[in-house]
Amino acid sequence: MESESKSKGPSARHKEKKLKRKEVLEKKKAVDELVRAASSETDHLASFQAFRHYNRNGVSVCLDSGSGDRLSSSVKQYVCNLVKANMEGPFGAEWPAEEKVKRREMVAPEARYIFVHDVASAGADGMPSAVEAKGEVVESVSEIMSIVGFVHFRFLVEEEIPVLYVYEIQLEPRVQGKGLGKFLMQLIELIARKNHMGAVVLTVQKTNLSAMKFYTSKLRYIISSISPSRVNPLLGSEASYEILCKAFEAEAKAVLEEGD
């Protein structure tokens, strides 16, 4: 008895290939559209008003949104300085080259930001006086606030999966260890889910042990199947970083966590 594949004529096999190609192209188009739509949104905090402010553990801050191609020169300088202060140590000898890459990345049009502003004065109820009851920052907010951290993220496609990729999450030492980092990552995950991203992905230097513990233990991220140590364990052991991820749906888990 002939196998099913042999019993099909050239015309049938050609139709199957065309149909499969069409399905692949349609899927790619749908994924690209998701990423395009997510990237086009100007304020990713708009749907999460409760996350506009954080007032816990002696820290009172407000958040706002930004994009890489609209950063003022002073904000660019701040971003550069904070990244260098926090990351020069973990990168070690790789830092001079990495710093040049990061300077280009931070001003790219596709770069999306959440800025963390320290509230200089708070109202009697403990809420920042620069924040209205509904959680929206008033126009004069810049006069009494200063940036103490930021998240730089982008919407990308990894292994045909739409993802939110965290390029940087940087906080000044005085607001670290106060639950703010976890708060920001929870917000990032909500933004990813709202925009139908399959996962949140980020890169961590192996020497940055505190960051690795934060993501894997506190937030339950895992080393992704696309991380060098899993792609090629022998060569990957020489890489200075790991790629971590948290997937939200079955296909993303299969591809980015399990590696199918």
Side-chain angles (χ1 to χ4, degrees):
M1 182 182 291
E2 291 188 55
S3 67
E4 186 180 348
S5 60
K6 286 185 178 180
S7 65
K8 292 178 180 178
S11 179
R13 289 197 295 270
H14 180 66
K15 285 181 180 178
E16 279 187 3
K17 286 182 180 180
K18 278 190 70 175
L19 185 60
K20 189 171 183 179
R21 191 181 307 120
K22 184 181 178 182
E23 288 175 353
V24 169
L25 291 174
E26 285 179 349
K27 180 183 176 182
K28 183 180 184 302
K29 183 179 178 181
V31 168
D32 289 344
E33 182 53 39
L34 281 176
V35 170
R36 194 159 40 243
S39 298
S40 67
E41 192 169 331
T42 56
D43 184 9
H44 289 284
L45 289 169
S47 299
F48 306 103
Q49 293 298 331
F51 280 82
R52 288 249 186 213
H53 51 84
Y54 179 90
N55 191 13
R56 304 174 203 163
N57 303 320
V59 173
S60 186
V61 298
C62 285
L63 311 183
D64 69 356
S65 301
S67 60
D69 55 352
R70 295 186 178 182
L71 302 182
S72 67
S73 57
S74 59
V75 171
K76 288 178 190 176
Q77 192 57 55
Y78 174 85
V79 168
C80 287
N81 291 345
L82 184 57
V83 172
K84 182 174 183 178
N86 287 348
M87 301 308 299
E88 187 172 17
F91 273 99
E94 295 179 11
W95 176 248
E98 188 64 28
E99 184 176 26
K100 292 178 181 177
V101 173
K102 289 183 180 294
R103 282 180 177 272
R104 291 194 300 270
E105 289 176 344
M106 75 178 192
V107 296
E110 59 269 28
R112 294 292 172 267
Y113 283 87
I114 294 171
F115 289 106
V116 183
H117 299 269
D118 182 33
V119 178
S121 60
D125 60 353
M127 290 295 294
S129 59
V131 178
E132 297 176 332
K134 63 181 179 178
E136 294 182 353
V137 182
V138 298
E139 291 182 1
S140 61
V141 70
S142 60
E143 298 176 7
I144 62 169
M145 289 179 155
S146 61
I147 302 175
V148 293
F150 68 91
V151 184
H152 165 195
F153 64 98
R154 303 187 189 186
F155 298 98
L156 304 173
V157 179
E158 288 283 355
E159 302 295 316
E160 300 180 6
I161 302 294
V163 304
L164 186 158
Y165 207 116
V166 179
Y167 274 57
E168 305 283 348
I169 176 168
Q170 302 291 349
L171 297 173
E172 291 188 13
R174 63 191 173 97
V175 295
Q176 292 178 13
K178 308 286 188 179
L180 184 54
K182 184 177 181 180
F183 176 82
L184 290 169
M185 286 304 298
Q186 288 172 335
L187 171 60
I188 285 294
E189 290 174 19
L190 287 172
I191 291 172
R193 286 177 179 272
K194 176 187 176 292
N195 288 278
H196 310 291
M197 298 294 108
V200 171
V201 183
L202 52 90
T203 303
V204 179
Q205 291 299 112
K206 289 179 179 178
T207 55
N208 197 345
L209 300 181
S210 60
M212 190 69 76
K213 183 178 180 181
F214 170 70
Y215 290 114
T216 58
S217 297
K218 283 193 175 183
L219 300 182
R220 300 190 180 282
Y221 278 68
I222 71 165
I223 297 175
S224 175
S225 60
I226 64 173
S227 190
S229 66
R230 289 187 61 189
V231 172
N232 187 324
L234 189 60
L235 295 177
S237 64
E238 299 176 5
S240 62
Y241 64 91
E242 295 281 11
I243 297 174
L244 307 184
C245 75
K246 180 185 284 188
F248 305 127
E249 44 91 14
E251 186 180 8
K253 285 180 183 291
V255 174
L256 297 175
E257 291 187 354
E258 298 165 9
D260 290 348

